[in-house]
């Protein structure tokens, strides 16, 4: 619906604004308190730490999802609150089950 689409645009704006705001405030802090000859090193360390955090966050998504979903893999999201959650199976599990059920006995 149009309401959800406009909310997505507003949310994306807030996310990018917040990210840019953090970089702007940090740049201002570095310019104000770090000696000019060390500005490049300070900016480089700040960017390195920021990108390491982004990579760590991206990697941790899988681990956190496993903790929240109790080790179950669902097609779209963890649906432990959904009444059919116990019967939900990911597409990869369906493929493996189909392959193994069609295998002849003895290999």
């Amino acid at each position: 619906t149009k309401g959800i689409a406009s909310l997505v645009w507003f949310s994306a704006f807030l996310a990018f604004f917040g990210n840019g705001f953090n970089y702007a405030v940090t740049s201002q802090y570095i310019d104000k308190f770090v000696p000019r000859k060390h500005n490049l090193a300070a900016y480089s360390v700040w960017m390195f730490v920021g990108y390491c955090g982004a990579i760590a966050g991206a990697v941790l998504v899988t681990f956190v999802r496993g903790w929240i979903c109790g080790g179950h893999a669902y097609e779209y999201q963890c649906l432990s609150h959904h009444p059919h959650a116990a019967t939900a199976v990911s597409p990869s599990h369906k493929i493996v089950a189909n392959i193994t059920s069609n295998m002849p006995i003895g290999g």
Side-chain angles (χ1 to χ4, degrees), residues 7-25 51:
L7 184 63
V8 168
W9 280 105
F10 180 68
S11 300
F13 169 76
L14 284 179
F16 285 115
F17 179 80
N19 191 21
F21 184 75
N22 285 335
Y23 280 104
V25 168
Y51 285 123

Side-chain angles (χ1 to χ4, degrees), residues 40-90:
L40 180 60
Y43 282 123
S44 296
V45 169
W46 166 245
M47 296 294 173
F48 178 75
V49 169
Y51 285 123
C52 285
I55 291 169
V59 170
L60 286 176
V61 167
T62 305
F63 295 114
V64 172
R65 184 183 300 131
W67 294 333
I68 293 172
C69 295
H72 297 287
Y74 300 106
E75 189 171 356
Y76 297 109
Q77 60 182 343
C78 179
L79 300 172
S80 61
H81 63 278
H82 195 274
H84 301 293
T87 60
V89 179
S90 70

